[in-house]
Amino acid sequence: MAQDDPFQIGFIYVGSPGDYGWTYEHDQARLAVEEHFGDRVETVFLENVPEGADAERSITQMILGGADMIFTTSFGFGEATNAVAGQFPDVYFEHATGYQRDFPNVSTYSARFYEGRAVIGHIAGHMTESNIVGYIGSYPIPEVIRGINSAYLHAREVNPDVEFRVVWAYTWFDPAVEADAAQALIDAGADVIMQHTDSTAPQTVAQEAGIISFGQASDMIQFAPAPRVASIIDNWAPYYIRRVGEAMDGTWTQGDVWEGIDTGMVVIGEMTDAIPEDVRASAAALRDAIAAGEYHPFTGPINRQDGTAWLAEGEIADDGTLAGMSFYVEGITGDIPN
Amino acid sequence: MIIDPVTLIVALITVSTPVLLAAIGELVVEKAGVLNLGVEGMMIMGAVCGFITAHHTGSPALAFVAGMAGAVALALVFAVLTQILMANQVASGLALTLFGLGLAALLGVGYSGLPVPAIARPFPEALRDIPGLGPIVFSHSILVYVSIALVAAVWIVLTRTRIGLVLRAVGENHDAAHALGYKVVRIRIAAIMFGGACAGLGGAFLSVVRVQNWIEGMTAGAGWIALALVVFASWKPWRVLLGAWLFGGIAALQLRLQAAEIGVPVALLDASPYLVTIIVLVLISSDRRRAALNAPAGLGRVFHASS
């Protein structure tokens, strides 16, 4: 690479930057990288890349087009990322929410979204009157299951009668299906909607139904003060800037980063006036305790759904179990689809 | 917990409306002998144009007109390519989808999350509150009634009027229709524009009424389902309505089964509309005479006046 050439960074998105959710935040981080490094970098991105064989082709094309570093920003890009990484040992790869690091030039990074889920679960437990919280899941993978468990545990902590109903949309991004899923949950009696999908469509349905919801991945502040009463924001910019800087300096090494509220990778968006003041205060206290490392959202005693013990009194879940979590905790009534 | 049939039916009607509108338009296009695979592209153009207009004017009626106009503009590109320049319809249709998705994304930049006016419902509160019947029959947005009326209108025109006869003649045998003095190209262009208007209306319904937001790629394959639906319905208008409700019903039902925590294999339910389409295809193609009765004989063939 000639000295004057800008360092080219490619981004592979599963959705579109216009989703105002997951991909939007990754794109904001891309723009932050551009702003931070100015002319020294050049970024390219591909949107709506399907998870699977197409992803491999898209990544390869980007590299042949001159990319020196690749961020693949969805769980389902894992195999494609590693397959391409093996062929291009000089290119740096960063795979979001993944676990596969088959080659030394692949790093994975994720955020401890479950910390945010604990806070909004706490709010949901207080706010629900029907005691039914509707949850729109994308795919039954550990990241999503972990979020459901965390939200449920903290809702139940403040409201022992709370029930969670989970609908799997089998998509990260399909506004119509997400809206239908929200409606189905509302028809089933839910008065609080949580989503683990990328678009704002469920917010619109919640607004129409007069119930509450939480911003997901992005602040979704346009739906505040209600239905969106708080949000979990993914803030990727500091990590992206740090890693791009390391790659340019040649100090980049393989890593597996999993950061949460403490480093600011997970941010709780503004809690609106729709939440009673005491609940806002207790939610903020929970957030601060997690940030300070005084409290872990998965602290025993916690049983698995089938009643067997998982964590003893005071025991804290280890990252390995959390990363591969494929079971519900006790009290959740549904089944995880195979 | 048992699923409430009333909310299920209300949901399935809402879910099926965009696809129904697009499919009934495509049915007319295919009856005229043209295969337009650009339904998805036209729908998303309708969605973006409708949303932008709804946001700026605050008028849902104008939004629907703009949605139709945007999609018709795209349909005209297809009409010029396939009817005047005699390009391959399959390739042109696929290109139209790709072009429409890209153009809509470009037009929609900055519009995500902006407010749109609420859609008035045509029937008064008192009617809507009748238990059972009220929500099912009277609770919908005006476009839902329009879409069902459109199915009836298409059926009447195709089977009971001279215009319908001419349109079908063009679709069955364009050389014969031409020999009789009918303007094959003009009739087909008109049909393509009608198909575009319907697809655009379906797209506008999606963005302005159902999701009330513009999100890139929001049609997410609805146009392809509309195309499958026309085949499923073996080119008969009422069966399009039935098929749309069946497809929409399965989609709405599977989400409710999940919400009610009834253990059904979701993947199987999700796939069932496509399985049914395949079964229907096998059935209608097993009897060659019946298949010939249904599929327009000139579907996808290029018309050249001198040939």
Side-chain angles (χ1 to χ4, degrees):
Chain A
M1 189 179 87
Q3 198 75 42
D4 299 337
D5 270 356
F7 187 78
Q8 200 187 97
I9 309 143
F11 292 80
I12 302 283
Y13 298 149
V14 70
S16 90
D19 68 358
Y20 279 80
W22 174 260
T23 300
Y24 174 80
E25 286 302 321
H26 286 284
D27 201 55
Q28 290 297 305
R30 177 185 69 83
L31 295 172
V33 166
E34 278 196 339
E35 185 167 354
H36 185 85
F37 293 102
D39 292 343
R40 293 162 58 208
V41 298
E42 189 183 300
T43 67
V44 289
F45 66 89
L46 267 178
E47 53 189 309
N48 291 316
V49 178
E51 297 178 335
D54 262 2
E56 206 171 312
R57 200 169 41 78
S58 305
I59 301 167
T60 308
Q61 267 180 359
M62 246 182 199
I63 294 167
L64 295 177
D68 304 300
M69 185 172 193
I70 297 282
F71 286 85
T72 51
T73 67
S74 183
F75 176 79
F77 294 145
E79 287 188 9
T81 306
N82 281 279
V84 181
Q87 297 167 38
F88 297 96
D90 298 333
V91 177
Y92 304 98
F93 291 86
E94 295 274 352
H95 176 220
T97 68
Y99 60 91
Q100 272 177 283
R101 292 175 300 280
D102 299 347
F103 301 96
N105 54 334
V106 183
S107 285
T108 50
Y109 62 99
S110 186
R112 294 181 187 267
F113 307 117
Y114 67 85
E115 296 183 351
R117 294 276 168 200
V119 178
I120 66 170
H122 174 89
I123 298 170
H126 277 294
M127 298 288 285
T128 179
E129 282 165 18
S130 67
N131 288 332
I132 297 176
V133 173
Y135 203 111
I136 306 168
S138 47
Y139 296 95
I141 58 171
E143 179 196 332
V144 180
I145 293 166
R146 200 162 56 231
I148 295 169
N149 283 334
S150 178
Y152 174 75
L153 286 171
H154 294 85
R156 191 186 59 181
E157 193 181 11
V158 296
N159 180 352
D161 298 325
V162 77
E163 274 181 61
F164 269 43
R165 306 239 181 234
V166 183
V167 164
W168 299 98
Y170 287 95
T171 176
W172 287 109
F173 177 72
D174 183 337
V177 170
E178 292 170 51
D180 296 341
Q183 189 60 52
L185 288 163
I186 292 164
D187 290 344
D191 64 352
V192 176
I193 293 284
M194 291 186 190
Q195 63 177 103
H196 203 136
T197 50
D198 299 352
S199 91
T200 54
Q203 310 284 328
T204 308
V205 177
Q207 192 160 35
E208 213 165 67
I211 63 163
I212 69 163
S213 59
F214 298 91
Q216 160 63 10
S218 182
D219 200 10
M220 302 189 179
I221 194 75
Q222 64 270 37
F223 292 97
R228 173 226 167 271
V229 295
S231 63
I232 305 174
I233 306 169
D234 312 340
N235 179 20
W236 304 109
Y239 179 74
Y240 283 15
I241 290 170
R242 187 172 89 224
R243 295 299 273 177
V244 169
E246 286 171 2
M248 289 165 73
D249 300 344
T251 56
W252 188 98
T253 50
Q254 183 177 55
D256 175 28
V257 156
W258 202 15
E259 292 174 5
I261 294 178
D262 54 346
T263 66
M265 197 180 258
V266 176
V267 177
I268 302 296
E270 186 208 339
M271 298 183 233
T272 68
D273 295 344
I275 308 173
E277 203 179 329
D278 57 324
V279 178
R280 263 182 285 161
S282 60
L286 177 62
R287 175 196 65 202
D288 296 342
I290 294 171
E294 294 158 5
Y295 173 72
H296 190 290
F298 290 103
T299 304
I302 301 173
N303 289 343
R304 289 189 175 85
Q305 188 181 30
D306 59 14
T308 57
W310 173 37
L311 296 175
E313 176 83 42
E315 192 185 348
I316 287 173
D318 63 281
D319 279 359
T321 311
L322 286 182
M325 192 172 235
S326 57
F327 58 88
Y328 280 150
V329 294
E330 193 173 45
I332 298 180
T333 43
D335 294 316
I336 299 173
N338 302 314
Chain B
M1 202 183 79
I2 303 160
I3 294 161
D4 176 16
V6 174
T7 56
L8 173 69
I9 294 169
V10 172
L12 86 83
I13 292 173
T14 316
V15 168
S16 57
T17 298
V19 176
L20 173 63
L21 280 164
I24 199 72
E26 177 67 12
L27 181 138
V28 171
V29 178
E30 292 191 12
K31 271 289 183 188
V34 180
L35 181 65
N36 184 355
L37 296 180
V39 181
E40 178 86 2
M42 299 189 298
M43 279 187 91
I44 196 115
M45 275 299 285
V48 74
C49 293
F51 187 81
I52 292 173
T53 310
H55 173 69
H56 285 301
T57 65
S59 156
L62 277 179
F64 296 140
V65 171
M68 287 194 279
V72 167
L74 203 64
L76 269 177
V77 174
F78 176 81
V80 169
L81 286 174
T82 59
Q83 300 307 309
I84 296 172
L85 302 175
M86 283 178 271
N88 178 290
Q89 291 179 8
V90 171
S92 307
L94 290 172
L96 197 71
T97 287
L98 296 175
F99 177 60
L101 285 168
L103 184 62
L106 183 69
L107 290 173
V109 168
Y111 281 97
S112 277
L114 293 180
V116 284
I119 307 295
R121 286 157 202 267
F123 292 104
E125 190 86 34
L127 278 176
R128 275 183 267 149
D129 287 345
I130 303 171
L133 195 69
I136 293 174
V137 182
F138 300 114
S139 73
H140 302 285
S141 118
I142 185 92
L143 266 199
V144 170
Y145 306 103
V146 168
S147 68
I148 295 169
L150 205 58
V151 173
V154 165
W155 175 69
I156 290 169
V157 169
L158 281 181
T159 59
R160 299 280 186 278
T161 69
R162 184 178 170 79
I163 303 171
L165 195 64
V166 172
L167 185 98
R168 284 189 289 142
V170 167
E172 295 297 337
N173 188 334
H174 48 222
D175 293 323
H178 178 64
L180 287 170
Y182 295 119
K183 307 284 185 197
V184 172
V185 170
R186 276 190 217 168
I187 290 165
R188 283 187 170 166
I189 291 177
I192 292 167
M193 288 172 67
F194 177 78
C198 289
L201 200 57
F205 178 84
L206 196 66
S207 64
V208 178
V209 181
R210 187 150 150 235
V211 180
Q212 291 171 28
N213 197 352
W214 161 249
I215 301 155
E216 247 182 86
M218 69 184 303
T219 46
W224 298 109
I225 293 179
L227 278 161
L229 202 55
V230 176
V231 179
F232 170 85
S234 49
W235 293 270
K236 290 187 188 306
W238 290 112
R239 286 196 204 164
V240 168
L241 180 67
L242 189 74
W245 283 355
L246 187 70
F247 282 30
I250 290 168
L253 179 66
Q254 69 95 349
L255 293 169
R256 278 165 181 74
L257 286 172
Q258 287 196 58
E261 298 182 342
I262 296 168
V264 270
V266 174
L268 191 69
L269 267 176
D270 263 351
S272 54
Y274 304 97
L275 291 175
V276 173
T277 303
I278 292 169
I279 292 166
V280 168
L281 277 175
V282 169
L283 286 179
I284 63 170
S285 59
S286 64
D287 184 342
R288 289 201 174 276
R289 266 205 348 259
R290 282 206 52 192
L293 273 178
N294 290 325
L299 186 60
R301 283 172 50 207
V302 174
F303 172 70
H304 196 291
S306 66
S307 66

